[in-house]
Amino acid sequence: QAQIVESGGGLVQPGGSLKLSCVASEEIFRGYVVHWYRQAPGKQRELVASIETVTAYYADSVKGRVSGSRDNAKNTVWLEMRNLRPEDTAVYYCNTQQRASRGEWGQGTQVTVSS
């Protein structure tokens, strides 16, 4: 079973930046949209970004502050986040819709925005 590992999270001050990485153990991203989700304490998981081969779509809450990219040859997807706000604090996950529907998730990476 393919594994996904998210990394790059951490503690940053408001206004700071982070670049999250999502690496798959096998070639499972090619041909699929890869989504970034986040889940804050006590809240449901929400979709943050959808990264296609050429284009990307972003939730209104992060639009203008995040940029997604991918390299299928490296089985890697990135999410670059700027001007971070306390409300961006959450565990961030990446996944395909297909894996998500089967309940297959990585461990996520914690992003904490606090002064």
Side-chain angles (χ1 to χ4, degrees), residues 61-111:
S61 58
V62 300
K63 196 173 294 182
R65 301 188 296 117
V66 303
S67 299
S69 58
R70 60 191 288 171
D71 186 334
N72 289 337
K74 296 181 179 180
N75 301 326
T76 303
V77 180
W78 295 275
L79 185 71
E80 189 164 6
M81 304 191 296
R82 306 173 294 277
N83 192 21
L84 284 162
R85 304 168 180 170
E87 54 264 38
D88 294 319
T89 295
V91 179
Y92 285 71
Y93 304 86
C94 73
N95 217 347
T96 63
Q97 183 178 351
Q98 291 72 18
R99 285 174 47 89
S101 67
R102 297 193 298 264
E104 299 171 3
W105 292 87
Q107 85 288 350
T109 186
Q110 176 72 50
V111 172

Side-chain angles (χ1 to χ4, degrees), residues 5-115:
V5 178
E6 300 94 342
S7 62
L11 171 63
V12 295
Q13 293 185 341
S17 302
L18 286 172
K19 187 173 184 177
L20 308 184
S21 298
C22 167
V23 181
S25 60
E26 301 175 14
E27 192 177 271
I28 60 173
F29 292 154
R30 189 181 298 274
Y32 292 96
V33 179
V34 181
H35 306 281
W36 280 97
Y37 304 84
R38 68 185 180 187
Q39 186 167 20
K43 295 187 177 181
Q44 289 190 331
R45 191 172 290 167
E46 63 171 340
L47 180 65
V48 175
S50 298
I51 315 301
E52 298 183 354
T53 302
V54 177
T55 59
Y57 301 92
Y58 306 105
D60 287 343
S61 58
V62 300
K63 196 173 294 182
R65 301 188 296 117
V66 303
S67 299
S69 58
R70 60 191 288 171
D71 186 334
N72 289 337
K74 296 181 179 180
N75 301 326
T76 303
V77 180
W78 295 275
L79 185 71
E80 189 164 6
M81 304 191 296
R82 306 173 294 277
N83 192 21
L84 284 162
R85 304 168 180 170
E87 54 264 38
D88 294 319
T89 295
V91 179
Y92 285 71
Y93 304 86
C94 73
N95 217 347
T96 63
Q97 183 178 351
Q98 291 72 18
R99 285 174 47 89
S101 67
R102 297 193 298 264
E104 299 171 3
W105 292 87
Q107 85 288 350
T109 186
Q110 176 72 50
V111 172
T112 302
V113 185
S114 175
S115 55

